[in-house]
Amino acid sequence: MTSVPTDEEINLVTSRYREEEQRHHLHIYATKHNTHVTLTKPNRDALISVSCGNIGFRKAGRGTYDAAYQLAAYVMSRIQDQGLLTQIKRLEIVYRGFGPGREAATKVLMGSEGRNIRNKIIKLTDATRLKFGGTRSPAPRRLG
């Protein structure tokens, strides 16, 4: 038997939905070879999107902790320079991948560079894609 939701329950669901809409998102995609940081509006349109290659790191240098740290610090300064701090009321951090940039971006947020934006963070999410199942492994070699 299904029950009809009350007005109070409907208001609770719609208020949560509206709250979700108001969040800006800071996507941190950290791979072994590079780090990408994207700041998006609540409707997921990109405001700032940069990677380690955009700030001058080339080839193997893009995959280092230092490159990711400088990238995250650069994004924080761009947010301030463009005056986006007044627009951002709530911020959700979305991590993806397990590269060195993940830890570096966290250090920047917790350090002096992230002091202005730290109090706006309301949620941390991990969107790393995990494999299960997958393709069949090759047959072992039979020598002898």
Side-chain angles (χ1 to χ4, degrees):
M1 183 171 156
T2 60
S3 62
V4 178
T6 64
D7 288 340
E8 200 172 289
E9 290 172 331
I10 291 171
N11 289 339
L12 182 66
V13 170
T14 54
S15 68
R16 281 189 187 155
Y17 181 73
R18 268 189 246 113
E19 186 179 299
E20 289 248 344
E21 283 182 0
Q22 301 305 317
R23 291 185 193 151
H24 283 71
H25 296 85
L26 186 68
H27 295 270
I28 298 163
Y29 179 35
T31 65
K32 182 174 152 187
H33 301 289
N34 205 346
T35 303
H36 300 267
V37 177
T38 305
L39 177 70
T40 62
K41 293 179 187 175
N43 65 357
R44 303 288 172 110
D45 288 343
L47 291 167
I48 299 170
S49 181
V50 288
S51 69
C52 291
N54 296 116
I55 60 168
F57 289 92
R58 289 287 166 239
K59 305 274 183 167
R62 293 184 298 225
T64 61
Y65 178 92
D66 185 47
Y69 190 94
Q70 288 185 34
L71 174 70
Y74 173 76
V75 170
M76 295 303 150
S77 67
R78 281 263 308 262
I79 288 171
Q80 283 190 319
D81 295 345
Q82 292 183 4
L84 296 173
L85 280 173
T86 55
Q87 283 183 350
I88 299 171
K89 302 284 186 266
R90 296 188 180 106
L91 184 68
E92 180 178 342
I93 310 292
V94 182
Y95 288 110
R96 192 168 139 212
F98 294 111
R102 185 184 180 107
E103 186 65 30
T106 306
K107 288 279 189 198
V108 168
L109 286 168
M110 298 307 292
S112 61
E113 298 93 341
R115 69 183 173 281
N116 295 326
I117 208 162
R118 196 178 313 135
N119 59 353
K120 297 172 190 270
I121 297 171
I122 59 164
K123 188 176 180 183
L124 292 173
T125 308
D126 191 344
T128 304
R129 296 174 181 163
L130 299 174
K131 294 178 184 172
F132 53 96
T135 58
R136 183 172 171 171
S137 58
R141 288 182 62 193
R142 295 193 290 183
L143 302 171

